[in-house]
Amino acid sequence: MDFTFTEEQNILRQTVRKFVDQEIMPYIAQWDRDGKFDPNIMNRLAELGLMGVCIPEEYGGAGMDYNSLAIVCEELERGDTAFRTAVSVHTGLNSMTLLQWGNEEQKQKYLVPQAKGEKVGAFGLTEPAAGSDVASLQTTATKEGDHYILSGQKSWISLCDVADHFIVFAYTDKSKKHHGISAFIVERTWEGFSSKGVKGKLGIRAGNTGELFFDQVKVPAVNLLGKEGEGFKIAMSALDNGRFTVAAGAVGQIMACMEASVKYCHERETFGKPIGKHQLVQQMLANMEAGLQMSRLLVYRAGELKNQGKRNTRETSLAKWQACDFANKAADDAVQIHGAYGFSDEYPVERYLRNSKAPVIYEGTREIHTIVQAEYVLGYREDKPLNRMLPAWEQPKQSI
Ligand code: COS
């Protein structure tokens, strides 16, 4: 595998970095303090062509490969986890799922405007009593003629108050267990739909997260994604893409921790020398570097498998688990290196530490990924080729 970046990928990285440095860094501490998500950021991401990075050009995207999407996620999370989360949800969980499972009519109606950034997509899987245990969800969809009646509630949904379209999972036949779950495309403006952002989160305070409510929402039958009963598979394949973006973002979080720590190591002196000269501080930076490089390799390997249209559930799970754990540790060490100043929002590292916790929980907890990896090693779990991997003509191109 060759992980050399193309010229276009280098330009992409520089473009996102400049955007983050100029339009996020100066304001993020205040947005985070205010718990405010700035919806204009979505417009700016759209203007920069970042809302459909690896969606083929024929569906309004930039037609780049998966590792280009990883670059965008790395650079956005270097600014703040909230903005990488927005891309994870809009592109990784929603648009890529429409590309993989949607029919032509659904792609034209929902994917094209999302890839162009004219509309925002989100993903409704988690419920108050169904997180890791997806099949315990309670939302139902009952067929009545040419539509379904959707009732239930979703929680911890990123972009809940911002998105125009949601992919929502519900039971169409509870007796079939996970084979009775189906996926639907739901529009915000439909009667019976409402959303409510939550406050008081530990981190990602500059992001919009909350609940979705479906009070007998009438969903046209043509908005069923895939077939009835394919919802669990659709959710899992969506998570293969979402988790990839989370892992890539974690790389960006480690970069941010490293940058802040190196800067502080050169500025701050103790016992008559810069703190970077103390071996215990060096150990923390060396661990950060190891975590950064290992996470990157795991992410790009998963990205390359995706580029080749190969099943990558195992590799993506490993990348997500390890990169998020490394990022969480890097943020903890970054605070430690800053000493008491690290405990104050005068420096960004306390925000990194708070932000680094959610990715260890969402899109598969540390514990779920640990079990999944052990099951692969023991031979209890095996990935079969998926008959809904992208056909050759839909494969994202290798470069712009
Ligand atoms: N792509 C497509 N299909 C997949 C898949 C994937 N990545 N992973 C699993 N499937 C299919 C399997 O092939 C299987 O199909 P059949 O029943 O037809 O044989 C089915 O889905 C069930 O898969 P599996 O047996 O692996 O399911 P488990 O009950 O063992 O659950 C875990 C697996 C625990 C790994 C899963 O429930 C999980 O990932 N939970 C965490 C959910 C999560 O991340 N929630 C947070 C969401 S934040 S948006």
Side-chain angles (χ1 to χ4, degrees):
M1 289 185 190
D2 178 7
F3 296 138
T4 314
F5 295 125
T6 61
E7 186 52 28
E8 289 82 3
Q9 286 174 323
N10 289 331
I11 293 169
L12 178 68
R13 188 182 288 281
Q14 286 160 17
T15 304
V16 186
R17 184 163 286 220
K18 191 171 160 200
F19 163 70
V20 164
D21 284 343
Q22 293 183 350
E23 299 184 46
I24 291 183
M25 294 298 203
Y27 313 105
I28 185 61
Q30 196 57 48
W31 289 340
D32 187 79
R33 246 177 245 137
D34 296 345
K36 184 182 141 194
F37 178 77
D38 185 349
N40 282 328
I41 292 289
M42 299 306 278
N43 299 334
R44 287 293 294 130
L45 291 175
E47 280 165 20
L48 292 167
L50 301 177
M51 295 282 275
V53 172
C54 64
I55 302 295
E57 285 169 25
E58 53 266 48
Y59 291 117
M64 297 187 218
D65 73 343
Y66 281 90
N67 281 335
S68 303
L69 178 63
I71 289 170
V72 171
C73 291
E74 276 178 37
E75 291 299 326
L76 281 179
E77 186 139 359
R78 187 181 146 264
D80 195 81
T81 310
F83 309 111
R84 191 274 306 150
T85 300
V87 167
S88 288
V89 170
H90 171 84
T91 303
L93 291 174
N94 187 315
S95 298
M96 297 303 292
T97 307
L98 292 179
L99 181 66
Q100 198 171 348
W101 295 88
N103 58 35
E104 193 52 32
E105 199 182 316
Q106 291 168 341
K107 286 179 193 172
Q108 291 300 333
K109 186 167 178 189
Y110 294 106
L111 175 60
V112 171
Q114 285 183 192
K116 290 181 178 170
E118 295 161 0
K119 296 283 181 189
V120 175
F123 191 77
L125 177 63
T126 299
E127 298 188 359
S132 296
D133 182 7
V134 174
S136 68
L137 62 84
Q138 302 287 315
T139 300
T140 56
T142 311
K143 186 121 191 243
E144 286 187 4
D146 63 354
H147 60 266
Y148 290 83
I149 298 295
L150 184 70
S151 297
Q153 182 182 346
K154 298 288 172 183
S155 55
W156 296 108
I157 307 303
S158 301
L159 302 179
C160 66
D161 300 315
V162 178
D164 302 285
H165 315 143
F166 299 84
I167 295 178
V168 178
F169 296 85
Y171 268 107
T172 41
D173 186 348
K174 190 96 186 168
S175 70
K176 292 185 179 160
K177 309 238 169 95
H178 74 269
H179 285 125
I181 297 174
S182 303
F184 298 90
I185 306 166
V186 178
E187 297 185 25
R188 164 177 301 282
T189 53
W190 291 346
E191 207 178 322
F193 174 93
S194 58
S195 66
K196 186 167 172 274
V198 292
K199 293 276 176 208
K201 291 178 290 177
L202 173 70
I204 321 187
R205 291 186 181 161
N208 170 239
T209 315
E211 294 170 297
L212 307 179
F213 303 94
F214 307 95
D215 181 7
Q216 304 203 27
V217 177
K218 209 170 156 184
V219 180
V222 292
N223 277 36
L224 174 71
L225 189 61
K227 298 196 193 90
E228 259 194 33
E230 283 189 326
F232 192 89
K233 273 187 192 171
I234 294 175
M236 289 298 131
S237 66
L239 285 167
D240 282 345
N241 288 326
R243 289 168 178 169
F244 173 71
T245 62
V246 174
V251 170
Q253 184 71 94
I254 306 172
M255 287 195 303
C257 292
M258 178 81 89
E259 253 178 67
S261 300
V262 167
K263 185 166 181 282
Y264 194 70
C265 279
H266 292 315
E267 283 168 12
R268 173 78 175 177
E269 291 194 0
T270 58
F271 303 101
K273 53 187 174 188
I275 60 168
K277 296 277 184 192
H278 295 301
Q279 287 183 343
L280 290 178
V281 173
Q282 289 179 353
Q283 184 175 49
M284 288 189 266
L285 285 167
N287 285 341
M288 260 183 227
E289 173 67 3
L292 177 63
Q293 300 306 336
M294 286 191 267
S295 303
R296 266 210 177 116
L297 287 175
L298 289 173
V299 169
Y300 297 155
R301 178 179 67 147
E304 195 47 38
L305 290 172
K306 288 172 190 291
N307 288 340
Q308 293 168 11
K310 292 190 178 145
R311 181 83 187 259
N312 53 86
T313 306
R314 180 177 185 168
E315 294 78 8
T316 298
S317 156
L318 185 64
K320 192 273 178 189
W321 169 35
Q322 286 302 301
C324 293
D325 266 9
F326 278 130
N328 190 219
K329 179 74 174 86
D332 191 24
D333 283 346
V335 170
Q336 194 67 21
I337 287 169
H338 283 69
Y341 286 109
F343 201 65
S344 131
D345 71 358
E346 193 181 328
Y347 287 84
V349 289
E350 61 84 33
R351 177 167 52 85
Y352 300 160
L353 180 57
R354 288 187 289 102
N355 282 353
S356 70
K357 189 60 192 174
V360 177
I361 298 170
Y362 63 34
E363 302 216 22
T365 58
R366 170 191 287 152
E367 291 70 26
I368 285 286
H369 291 293
T370 306
I371 290 164
V372 163
Q373 291 302 319
E375 288 178 350
Y376 280 119
V377 169
L378 287 160
Y380 301 161
R381 180 175 287 277
E382 192 191 345
D383 285 346
K384 298 178 201 94
L386 190 60
N387 64 0
R388 293 304 300 257
M389 289 309 288
L390 302 185
W393 65 272
E394 276 183 339
Q395 285 301 313
K397 295 173 186 61
Q398 294 300 310
S399 58
I400 296 173

